[in-house]
Amino acid sequence: MSGKRVQDGQTSSDASGKGTYFMIMTATFILALSSNPFGVLDYILRTLPSSFSICRCLYGDPCWPSNSAFEALSEEISQPLLFPRPPASACYSSQSDDDCAAAVNGTTDGIWRSGHPGSMQNSNFETHVFPNGTISACYLNQTLGAPCEQGSIPVVGVDARSVKDVSAAVRFAAQNNLRLTIKNTGHDYLGRSTARGSFLLWTHNLKDIIYHESFIPAGGKEVHEHVITLGSGVQWFEAYDAVYKRGRVIAGGVSPGGSNGAAGGWIMGGGHSILSPKYGLGVDNVVQMTVVVSSGEHLTVNSHQYSDLFWALRGGGGGTYGVLTSVTYQTHPSTPIIGGYFGTTIDSPVKGPTPVLTKLVTELVRIFPKLADSGWAGYPTIEPDPVTQVPSLSFLLIAPNTSWARANETLNPFFAFAQTLAAGSSYEDGGALTVNAGFTMSLDSFNSWETAWFRKIGIVGNNVNLGSRLIPRETIEKKYAELGAAIADMPGAGFYLVGGGATSRIDPSSAAVNPAWRNALMHLVFWGVWSEGAPYEYIQMVDAFVKSHVDRLTAIVPDSGAYFNEAYMHEPNPQETFFGPHYTRLLSIKEKYDPRGLFIVAKGVGHEKWDESLNCRV
């Protein structure tokens, strides 16, 4: 190319031509920005070099939206803006004593907690730990002498009552580069429902329930009989009652009060159920979903339209692809069930796991495959006695639509084993076992069982750190002794029989949920707890305890995975552990529907592109 060289290494004709090109492209960019700001922003973020760092705007930053910006948002939404406060804050303010009493009485109530935008089901996620170990929190126990601070609770947000509200909130967060958090009920063991300095989208009041005798998915022709559409704020106690009135049942979750959400993070994480061996995981029962993506657009997704997003939403993790606004589920005929009940106590000089507990747990683990083949499913747990702190075993099991005789064939031998073990145990030998309950009974429906056992039992509001693993049937059959010993060594654990059966017969590629679920018979979850106001050093000790058991189980089942919704918050290999071979596809779908990275959560798809705080790109 001819022409005189200039200082930047171009010819003069090169420089002139590129200058003209630059002016044309600048004008084009300005026109594009005015007509399609989201498209331009998407392009910029997609083409930024990987080394470029961009941070979210947090409360207190100079970039935080002005009062006038929030006033403009208020004009778009149906409810006044939320200004969430910690649930215990009523006891530190000029509010009435009744408000404080309500906070005290409600702190362990899942329904009460889910009805407050600033409350999580586990209170440690309401706190914020700074890098130096200092904790910002608002403790219910005022005698600790700590001030009531905001902790990790968002400072402002939208109380969504419609799709329009959701879309307005999403657009506002995107336009202002805010850290967006989405909260339904606050049941989240990874703390994904909250973040310090963030902007909250509260979906708890999206409560529409529509029952369809027949239903045709958008864009399809096939007819689904007896399905139900649940708004993302519907809780399982509401969903169960709605379908039971029509003689139906639905594969859903359980929690104290039935307070966990039926159409939010539960389903997007996979959704295990005590009915999963009979009907499959929650994701296996979904017919259609609606979701607001990062552009603010509201999409109806199913196997006919946006099928890739439909696949990802069924197990690819909550808070990652958009804001779920509804889920349409297949229901099933309500049938009688057999319930199995077992409870023990152990009197021991050892304030921890005992040899007699190891024998009892190991035998129960050994017969897990037989229990599953006989139709049983449920929740064996190990918990320490509140006074002696000696752990003991109990369980609640059900066998839907199974004869009482068949159910007893596998469970009665275990009851007999436990009685024989108790008769031969002693305090001096490390633990005297007492069997307080061991029986089966017939009930008319799942709803009767769930109402009796989960509407009024259990507490929330504690501080907890979880670990978990999915245990394949083959591992149980070959390593039941090693596995039983590991479980019995955990002072707090649940080894849930919620796999196998229908769950194992479904194509692993049919939904995004971790394929490890298709081989798993047991979902093993364990935990460490601490008291309100505990110092950071003690919380670190609890974390080290949980990690040690995660490592031990990983050695036993190195090729399995974990359930994303109930898992270790510091999981070292989350992509493989939570999503398995689906991760690469999930990441590409996320980048397609959320190119600006608005939806980022702890250990979720794409989190590795952000720093530990999830506020800045790396």
Side-chain angles (χ1 to χ4, degrees), residues 152-439:
S152 69
I153 297 169
V155 294
V156 63
V158 169
D159 176 6
R161 304 294 177 99
S162 68
V163 169
K164 181 182 176 182
D165 289 343
V166 174
S167 294
V170 168
R171 289 195 304 270
F172 184 82
Q175 290 166 354
N176 292 280
N177 191 33
L178 303 182
R179 173 74 183 276
L180 176 65
T181 51
I182 306 160
K183 177 179 180 285
N184 180 1
T185 63
H187 284 86
D188 194 338
Y189 292 109
L190 293 177
R192 296 167 296 182
S193 302
T194 190
R196 182 175 177 83
S198 66
F199 175 70
L200 174 67
L201 174 49
W202 195 36
T203 63
H204 178 67
N205 289 307
L206 294 172
K207 293 283 193 181
D208 288 345
I209 299 177
I210 304 172
Y211 189 86
H212 313 268
E213 294 290 343
S214 63
F215 180 84
I216 300 175
K221 296 180 179 180
E222 76 279 15
V223 178
H224 295 263
E225 305 289 347
H226 303 291
V227 303
I228 191 165
T229 299
L230 307 175
S232 58
V234 174
Q235 294 166 273
W236 275 120
F237 78 92
E238 297 165 320
Y240 288 143
D241 289 348
V243 297
Y244 181 64
K245 291 176 182 177
R246 298 176 179 271
R248 310 291 291 182
V249 71
I250 186 171
V254 297
S255 66
S259 56
N260 52 331
W266 179 84
I267 188 64
M268 288 186 283
H272 75 71
S273 170
I274 197 171
L275 293 173
S276 289
K278 185 71 174 177
Y279 303 117
L281 296 170
V283 296
D284 303 324
N285 289 270
V286 176
V287 175
Q288 183 168 281
M289 297 166 138
T290 60
V291 59
V292 173
V293 293
S294 61
S295 65
E297 187 178 2
H298 189 230
L299 306 180
T300 298
V301 303
N302 53 44
S303 59
H304 304 285
Q305 54 186 39
Y306 306 105
S307 57
D308 55 348
L309 183 56
F310 182 57
W311 181 86
L313 289 171
R314 290 177 295 140
T320 300
Y321 307 93
V323 184
L324 203 61
T325 54
S326 75
V327 178
T328 300
Y329 287 102
Q330 182 65 60
T331 70
H332 306 275
S334 179
T335 66
I337 68 168
I338 306 299
Y341 310 94
F342 183 73
T344 64
T345 53
I346 298 176
D347 188 17
S348 170
V350 179
K351 306 304 179 185
T354 56
V356 69
L357 178 63
T358 299
K359 293 178 182 178
L360 190 62
V361 170
T362 299
E363 175 62 12
L364 184 56
V365 171
R366 186 186 72 82
I367 67 170
F368 250 48
K370 294 181 180 179
L371 291 173
D373 292 343
S374 296
W376 287 107
Y379 306 117
T381 58
I382 296 171
E383 292 188 276
D385 183 276
V387 177
T388 68
Q389 293 301 299
V390 178
S392 61
L393 172 68
S394 63
F395 64 63
L396 292 173
L397 303 179
I398 65 169
N401 203 26
T402 301
S403 73
W404 205 340
R406 184 177 184 231
N408 283 337
E409 284 177 4
T410 47
L411 207 50
N412 280 346
F414 176 76
F415 293 153
F417 174 89
Q419 292 289 1
T420 300
L421 185 62
S425 65
S426 68
Y427 182 88
E428 292 75 15
D429 290 335
L433 172 68
T434 300
V435 178
N436 300 315
F439 62 94

